[in-house]
Amino acid sequence: MTSREKFGAYCSLPGLLIVAILLSYPLGYNVYLSFMRYDNIQPVIFMGLANYRQICGSSDFWLSWRVSLFYSLGTTALTLLISLLLAHSLYGIRKWQTFFRTMVILPWAVPGVISGMMFRWIMDTDLGVLNYLLAELGVIKQNIKFLVDYPMLSGILATTWSYIPFMTVLILAGLESIPSELYEVAEIDGADSIDKFFHISLALNKTQILIAALIMWMFTFRTPDIFMSLTAGGPGKATYHAGIFLRDLIFKYMNFGYGSVVGVFLCLIVSVPASFILYKGVLKNNENSTR
Amino acid sequence: MRTLLDRVITARVTPFIILSVFSLLLLFPILWSLTTSFKNLDEIYSWPPTLIPKEFSLSGYQFSILKASVPTYLLNSLIYSASVTLLVLVTATITIYGLTFYPYKGSDKVFLAFFLTRTIPPQALWIPAIVMLSQVGLLNSRLSVILFGVILVYPLAVWMFKGIFDSFPREVIDSATIDGCSRLGALVRVVIPICAPAVAAVAIVSFLWNWNDFMFPYLVLNDKALYPITVGVFTLLGDEMAMWNALAATQMLAVAPGLVFFVIAQKYITKGLVSGAVKG
């Protein structure tokens, strides 16, 4: 090894230590725990696949995955649509650019658990300002019980609000990296704005959009923060996100064996496909284009 | 039909109309909490709701600051986020600097490993972390929150630094080392000062990322004196359900640092985040 290489290897040490001790070891330990009876009552013993078998028989387990999946796909799709609109609008303006960019990014400053609270207050049946505004506009006659009758939709709206900045910023960055000559050439060839959108803006920005959607899907699939304060998983179990199920396994049932199984499934559902797409999408793509 | 749509899209005012409408929608929840925080309880429970407080009241802030120990929560959040940011910044700069400019055999695989840590759900680490922390007696401690914060933020910082360093000219480092600067010295004295805005963006994002985290501190802390603001505001929601002015005031105090950062440094933060999320 040359001294340059040695230096590079030493530099990797702090990072490797963090990844090994704080990430890989707990991750492996989680798999180990998933094979143990660990209910904080009886002694911890090896149980083989018993936890897996038992938790797969629980209806809450499946319910929570369904909720997470529906919620994450719903928010990602809605956010993507709105963000495409916003990113293209931001791209098209010269005046007031900084002002609008700042406006669009502001929800980012709000922690998920607080977004949930803000929307809980806005969507309140008797005192919520949303019902008031809808009634003033003549859209509704009677106050809607948003959090009781449409809890999932409310959660999706609150989450979309939270994630619009992230998605818009990424799509906009992709748009800005498209050379503007392409649009000029297309115009000469007689393309209208719709052609340009589909064949240039969307086609050349595919990877960025996919990565942004993927990251957002991962976050919403695994993070229950907004539901924690918006609906607490209810009413009933209408918004029983996988993260809330895991919280209950830890706090309420104190069954860490079951909880680890949920952790293992989370990794399988999120990390494996996401790693694959990121590897293919980002790394390969960059190797081809920039080097 | 199509020409009409084309005309609407290309009209000069269209983006301004879209952006004005959505800016209002995006700002509204924050504004609504802001006005709520300045109302007194009577006004909060009266119908129809008032968009601007009829009587400007500080009782919400009074409760939040004097009774609900929100200053303690804010201070805790500050301690956690600052420590995590510092730890992550120091370790991630050195590591990614080495991987970018001093590659060794297998360093591409090491980078790939770092790169993919982004996909690991922190939720899957809750239980092993709780068990491990309780074994060493660190449950319900500041250190537990800081360590978990490092796991949370580190992958993101790796992505962002990779984006920053990849666009940094190698020749500058080479000439600095030829001029007698040590390799680490080149990082500290040349690379970081030149990339200062980008590094500041990483610092701000790391700080906010950790500031906004809720679930893990909520799971491991049961001593109220150690709560970060997110957990503090959540327990307040459970305890003081009726006092929406105090809740709104607490929300405003909790989001204030983020709002300030974004208003002042929006450009740098978005640039940093973009280089972290999508390189190219």
Side-chain angles (χ1 to χ4, degrees), chain A residues 79 82-83 86 99-116 118-119 157-169 226, chain B residues 22-31 208 212 254-256 258-260 262-263 266:
Chain A
T79 309
I82 297 175
S83 296
L86 289 178
F99 172 76
F100 280 123
R101 282 184 187 210
T102 308
M103 286 295 122
V104 167
I105 207 177
L106 281 183
W108 211 333
V110 180
V113 66
I114 291 181
S115 309
M118 286 180 170
F119 277 84
L157 288 177
T159 314
T160 301
W161 178 79
S162 286
Y163 279 89
I164 281 175
F166 170 78
M167 194 76 114
T168 308
V169 162
I226 287 177
Chain B
F22 274 96
S23 295
L24 199 65
L25 288 175
L26 288 172
L27 203 58
F28 185 76
I30 301 174
L31 279 181
L208 286 178
N212 290 358
V255 300
L259 290 180
V260 170
F262 276 124
V263 170
Q266 172 263 127

Side-chain angles (χ1 to χ4, degrees), chain B residues 78-117:
Chain B
L78 183 69
I79 294 172
Y80 298 142
S81 303
S83 323
V84 168
T85 306
L86 198 67
L87 275 170
V88 167
L89 235 48
V90 170
T91 50
T93 38
I94 294 177
T95 299
I96 301 304
Y97 172 69
L99 285 174
T100 312
F101 298 110
Y102 301 95
Y104 51 94
K105 199 162 168 279
S107 61
D108 50 335
K109 298 213 172 52
V110 172
F111 175 68
L112 183 67
F114 284 134
F115 183 78
L116 294 181
T117 51

Side-chain angles (χ1 to χ4, degrees), chain A residues 44 116 145 166 228-229 242 248 253 275:
Chain A
V44 179
K145 295 176 177 160
F166 170 78
M228 286 291 291
S229 53
D248 281 348
Y253 309 115
S275 302

Side-chain angles (χ1 to χ4, degrees), chain A residues 145-165:
Chain A
K145 295 176 177 160
F146 290 102
L147 298 177
V148 178
D149 293 336
Y150 309 99
M152 179 56 91
L153 182 68
S154 308
I156 288 179
L157 288 177
T159 314
T160 301
W161 178 79
S162 286
Y163 279 89
I164 281 175

Side-chain angles (χ1 to χ4, degrees), chain A residues 29-94:
Chain A
Y29 195 53
N30 184 61
V31 176
Y32 164 81
L33 286 175
S34 73
F35 296 120
M36 311 301 281
R37 182 182 69 196
Y38 200 130
D39 53 9
N40 288 300
I41 302 168
Q42 298 157 288
V44 179
I45 52 162
F46 182 76
M47 293 279 277
L49 288 171
N51 286 331
Y52 287 83
R53 232 175 292 133
Q54 279 159 13
I55 206 164
C56 283
S58 119
S59 59
D60 281 355
F61 179 73
W62 297 108
L63 172 77
S64 71
W65 292 126
R66 270 202 307 277
V67 166
S68 277
L69 192 68
F70 187 79
Y71 163 71
S72 55
L73 291 178
T75 15
T76 308
L78 185 60
T79 309
L80 189 59
L81 279 179
I82 297 175
S83 296
L84 276 171
L85 190 66
L86 289 178
H88 282 82
S89 303
L90 283 171
Y91 182 72
I93 60 167
R94 290 288 164 271

